[in-house]
Amino acid sequence: MSDHDFVSGSKPIGIERGEGLSLYSTDGTEYLDAGASYACTPLGHSHPAVVDAVQEQVGKLTFVDSSFPVQSREDAYAAFVAAAPDGLEQGWFCNSGTEANEAALKFARSATGESKIIAATRSFHGRTMGSLAATWKDKYKEPYEPLAGDVEFVPYGDDEELAAAVDDETAAVILEPIQGEGGINLPPAGYLETARELTEEAGAALVFDEVQTGMGRTGSMWACQNAGVTPDVLTAAKGLGNGLPVGAVAVRDWIADGAASHNATFSGGPVVSAAVHATISTLVEEEWPAHAAEVGDYLVDELEAALGNAVREVRGEGLLVGIELKRGANRVARDLAMNHQVLALPAGRTVLRLLPPLVIDEDEADRLVEALTETVAPEAASEP
Ligand SMILES: *Cc1c(COP(=O)(O)O)cnc(C)c1O
């Protein structure tokens, strides 16, 4: 597969269709998706509400630019702003996570008139020049330098280092409320509040990148709501259109008022807007974030009980779960796929990441635990 593609790695499983938690390969094998869709399908694959909305919209009007009011776009904006944390009253749509962060950093610079951006070690904010500059890993950055300038890194979770870095020349502090790609890292209690206080005092914008943590995954619509901290700018993407390519930023009025010229041709296109509206409405009306909290707790408890000392740690919030292994995560992900038809994701060298659709039930969570137990702790699995 994918011999034509020089940037994506190629896996030996051709996927043909998806339904709910299941992905089906071209030879008819069913796989449990606990990561293959990178948190992009919170409602599960081919959810009928999203499929219907998209099919209806694509046949009626596929595209017209964002200066024309279109019902699906109006509905998507209203749903997104209503679902955003209180205080973030305005929004803008783009096409991806990196583009949302790019906009967040631009808006922060124009609203504050400052340029310094503070980001954290082990962060991931995307692959375009600006978001990449705020991303930690040198491997992603060095071959493409110079990137956007004036970015300073501080150790994630360290209040004092953050306090020392934030000053009057700071435009933005950008943080993931829980780090995803960096290994499912939860900040210590109080860290996000500290970031809020420091940025407020300095007149800087606090940007939360909720591209991976958002859309109900951590048990609230947004992970920052679990911490009780509202940023000035929040970015979303991945699960926002249940698999369609769309990103968004939600901002406080002072950011919107200070924003300079910015836009994108496909911003809020009618078809992705239909997907966004259907996804948010279904998540909210059917209370999937609360379900994610419940099944997430169940999953973590069961994993801890089953894996015990065979792993270093099981951590996470809701259905954003990381398992710190005692060996390489790539190999474990491969064994899970080939021997147990379970698809999971590495997050760094030794962390296995589980990001199942939020509609996972306890039986499906049990299947996941069983597969992991047999792969990582076979002695435990064979006990009566
Ligand atoms: C995936 C991700 C991004 C980048 O999103 P793309 O849509 O791939 O550009 C940015 N931030 C976080 C936290 C992510 O997980």
Side-chain angles (χ1 to χ4, degrees):
M1 308 294 294
S2 309
D3 287 341
H4 55 278
D5 183 343
F6 72 95
V7 293
S8 296
S10 165
K11 296 201 176 71
I13 303 168
I15 301 293
E16 195 167 57
R17 84 194 159 81
E19 190 184 333
L21 268 280
S22 298
L23 286 168
Y24 296 88
S25 66
T26 43
D27 68 4
T29 309
E30 186 255 357
Y31 291 84
L32 179 78
D33 181 7
S37 37
Y38 271 91
C40 294
T41 56
L43 297 173
H45 292 280
S46 300
H47 189 283
V50 182
V51 170
D52 290 351
V54 166
Q55 281 179 340
E56 191 189 325
Q57 185 60 49
V58 77
K60 191 158 69 181
L61 175 67
T62 303
F63 189 73
V64 65
D65 93 65
S66 61
S67 61
F68 295 95
V70 168
Q71 194 60 48
S72 76
R73 173 180 292 137
E74 305 282 312
D75 291 346
Y77 270 109
F80 176 62
V81 170
D86 289 342
L88 304 185
E89 311 291 351
Q90 302 195 55
W92 178 72
F93 283 124
C94 54
N95 306 283
S96 66
T98 195
E99 202 188 340
N101 287 327
E102 205 73 42
L105 298 176
K106 283 179 72 179
F107 291 155
R109 279 189 172 175
S110 68
T112 60
E114 303 295 340
S115 71
K116 186 162 97 174
I117 290 159
I118 297 169
T121 56
R122 298 203 276 175
S123 61
F124 184 86
H125 298 298
R127 308 258 200 172
T128 55
M129 292 290 198
S131 305
L132 186 57
T135 289
W136 171 244
K137 249 192 205 171
D138 281 339
K139 184 179 92 171
Y140 296 157
K141 291 188 289 191
E142 271 170 0
Y144 298 109
E145 285 172 345
L147 307 173
D150 221 356
V151 179
E152 190 179 319
F153 287 90
V154 293
Y156 187 71
D158 187 323
D159 286 11
E160 281 172 24
E161 294 272 3
L162 187 61
V166 178
D167 59 22
D168 292 349
E169 274 147 40
T170 306
V173 172
I174 181 167
L175 296 170
E176 294 155 84
I178 299 172
Q179 292 186 322
E181 303 294 319
I184 314 298
N185 307 316
L186 287 88
Y191 181 63
L192 300 178
E193 281 100 320
T194 302
R196 177 66 285 179
E197 283 158 19
L198 291 168
T199 44
E200 205 158 299
E201 274 163 31
L206 180 61
V207 179
F208 282 162
D209 175 349
E210 294 241 20
V211 168
Q212 191 159 154
T213 51
M215 300 303 289
R217 178 154 298 278
T218 65
S220 300
M221 196 62 169
W222 311 103
C224 66
Q225 293 170 319
N226 293 338
V229 180
T230 307
D232 300 296
V233 184
L234 177 147
T235 61
K238 291 204 165 92
L240 185 59
N242 206 52
L244 271 83
V246 58
V249 297
V251 300
R252 288 187 191 270
D253 288 339
W254 74 271
I255 300 283
D257 293 345
S261 172
H262 184 74
N263 211 343
T265 301
F266 282 123
S267 173
V271 177
V272 293
S273 288
V276 168
H277 178 249
T279 303
I280 295 177
S281 305
T282 308
L283 277 174
V284 171
E285 283 160 24
E286 298 179 2
E287 300 181 1
W288 290 109
H291 176 84
E294 235 168 79
V295 183
D297 284 349
Y298 175 80
L299 178 62
V300 168
D301 287 349
E302 294 292 307
L303 285 170
E304 280 174 340
L307 303 179
N309 290 332
V311 300
R312 290 184 205 286
E313 191 184 22
V314 180
R315 57 176 179 258
E317 215 164 77
L319 289 168
L320 181 68
V321 176
I323 303 168
E324 182 90 47
L325 301 164
K326 292 181 174 173
R327 55 192 169 111
N330 267 323
R331 183 59 194 270
V332 170
R334 190 186 148 278
D335 289 351
L336 279 171
M338 303 317 276
N339 303 334
H340 300 281
Q341 290 72 52
V342 165
L343 305 176
L345 270 180
R349 216 169 45 77
T350 57
V351 178
L352 189 78
R353 176 171 33 160
L354 305 177
L355 299 169
L358 310 191
V359 297
I360 186 173
D361 63 23
E362 289 191 359
D363 288 344
E364 289 156 331
D366 287 343
R367 180 175 159 197
L368 194 50
V369 174
E370 212 167 292
L372 268 155
T373 310
E374 284 171 23
T375 306
V376 177
E379 322 75 40
S382 58
E383 276 169 22

